[in-house]
Amino acid sequence: MAREPPVAAGRMRLMPLRVTTLAERPEFASSLWDMDHTWHEFVLNDPIADLFYARVTTTYQDYVLVADDDAEPGRLAARACMIPFAANGGPLPDDGWDGVIRSGWLARERGADTDAISALEITVRRDLLGTGLSALMVAALREHAARLGHHELVAPVRPNRKHLEPHTPMSEYAFRTRSDGLPHDAWLRVHVRAGGKIVKVAPRSMVVAGTLAEWRGWTGLPFDRSGPVEVPGALTPVHCDVPHDHAVYVEPNVWVSHTLT
């Protein structure tokens, strides 16, 4: 859940939302990925994502929330995804977002039990950013996880201002607070205000590797010198190796735990 755009203040809130599961509103399946969004292309090329997103409309419909509002019924305003996974009583994994997707996929393939649930993303339609919709979707995820019988919802959160400080360690950024004690980062603030608690950093939550040609296509940057490359939207520099024709992005996220009642 990693993945959500900024929440701005000063704009009108939405009309009342209708939030349901994709299983309840299958008519949204064909347009689920057509919503205008703000994700950068390189983020969409994490290979682990295919273990979840390729099966959303056939396997995980009960774990995807879709929202439309009274002003435009039937037009997707936001989506939110989660996945059950096998924690087995262990600590939250260092491989964060990739880790819970892989764990959830393996459990399903093996017919094994899952004992935890993680949020994966909230995506808000571009023209609705800053309306407070992301906070409403966090609340909806919490409520749905509780209805499914879970006592905790975890989230490998992708702080939405970290890309402005790509060289700052996440271990420093994640725990930075304002004078009121709330997180410095706006997206982390949304989670804490909803009842979440920052637990730890997931240092390798998402790993995207590609050839230099692929990275040039994803970013429009030259990738012609070895070393760290600052990429717009990336939370840390991308490691470029020209002689070996590849670049690797290792994204840290922040584990947040929501205790549910």
Side-chain angles (χ1 to χ4, degrees):
M1 176 131 106
R3 290 115 172 83
E4 219 291 328
V7 179
R11 291 175 58 181
M12 293 181 64
R13 295 183 69 84
L14 293 172
M15 298 288 287
L17 279 180
R18 175 169 49 175
V19 182
T20 63
T21 65
L22 183 61
E24 295 169 306
R25 303 286 301 283
E27 65 270 24
F28 279 121
S30 61
S31 61
L32 196 61
W33 314 120
D34 296 338
M35 185 172 58
D36 190 22
H37 61 80
T38 58
W39 297 119
H40 290 80
E41 182 66 22
F42 70 90
V43 176
L44 305 179
N45 281 278
D46 177 353
I48 295 295
D50 287 340
L51 299 181
F52 176 79
Y53 289 95
R55 300 186 175 203
V56 160
T57 60
T58 57
T59 302
Y60 293 108
Q61 310 100 310
D62 289 324
Y63 298 97
V64 176
L65 300 181
V66 291
D68 60 349
D69 63 69
D70 289 350
E72 297 180 279
R75 183 186 180 195
L76 194 62
R79 67 172 182 257
C81 304
M82 60 176 73
I83 189 170
F85 71 102
N88 298 319
L92 291 170
D94 288 341
D95 54 352
W97 197 81
D98 284 353
V100 293
I101 290 179
R102 182 175 181 274
S103 171
W105 182 83
L106 286 173
R108 180 174 285 274
E109 289 295 302
R110 295 168 176 170
D113 291 335
T114 56
D115 59 353
I117 192 163
S118 175
L120 293 179
E121 70 157 276
I122 290 175
T123 298
V124 176
R125 203 174 71 216
R126 188 188 297 266
D127 63 305
L128 298 176
L129 293 175
T131 61
L133 179 50
S134 57
L136 297 177
M137 295 303 288
V138 170
L141 282 174
R142 288 171 52 101
E143 292 170 5
H144 188 54
R147 282 196 299 270
L148 293 171
H150 294 276
H151 300 290
E152 179 188 35
L153 170 69
V154 297
V157 175
R158 186 180 201 264
N160 62 8
R161 305 291 286 178
K162 176 64 173 70
H163 66 98
L164 300 176
E165 303 181 37
H167 294 281
T168 300
M170 185 65 89
S171 56
E172 173 187 333
Y173 183 90
F175 295 95
R176 188 186 302 168
T177 58
R178 307 188 309 182
S179 59
D180 61 3
L182 289 171
H184 163 79
D185 185 82
W187 189 215
L188 287 172
R189 273 200 309 278
V190 170
H191 280 270
V192 170
R193 282 174 170 155
K197 179 181 178 181
I198 296 174
V199 178
K200 59 179 267 189
V201 170
R204 54 182 181 94
S205 192
M206 171 183 280
V207 179
V208 180
T211 65
L212 301 186
E214 287 174 323
W215 275 99
R216 290 171 189 136
W218 297 337
T219 66
L221 298 176
F223 277 88
D224 55 0
R225 295 184 180 181
S226 293
V229 179
E230 291 188 19
V231 171
L235 308 194
T236 61
V238 176
H239 301 277
C240 177
D241 189 328
V242 171
H244 295 97
D245 189 26
H246 69 256
V248 180
Y249 173 59
V250 181
E251 177 172 295
N253 288 162
V254 181
W255 274 117
V256 174
S257 169
H258 290 263
T259 300
L260 308 174
T261 57

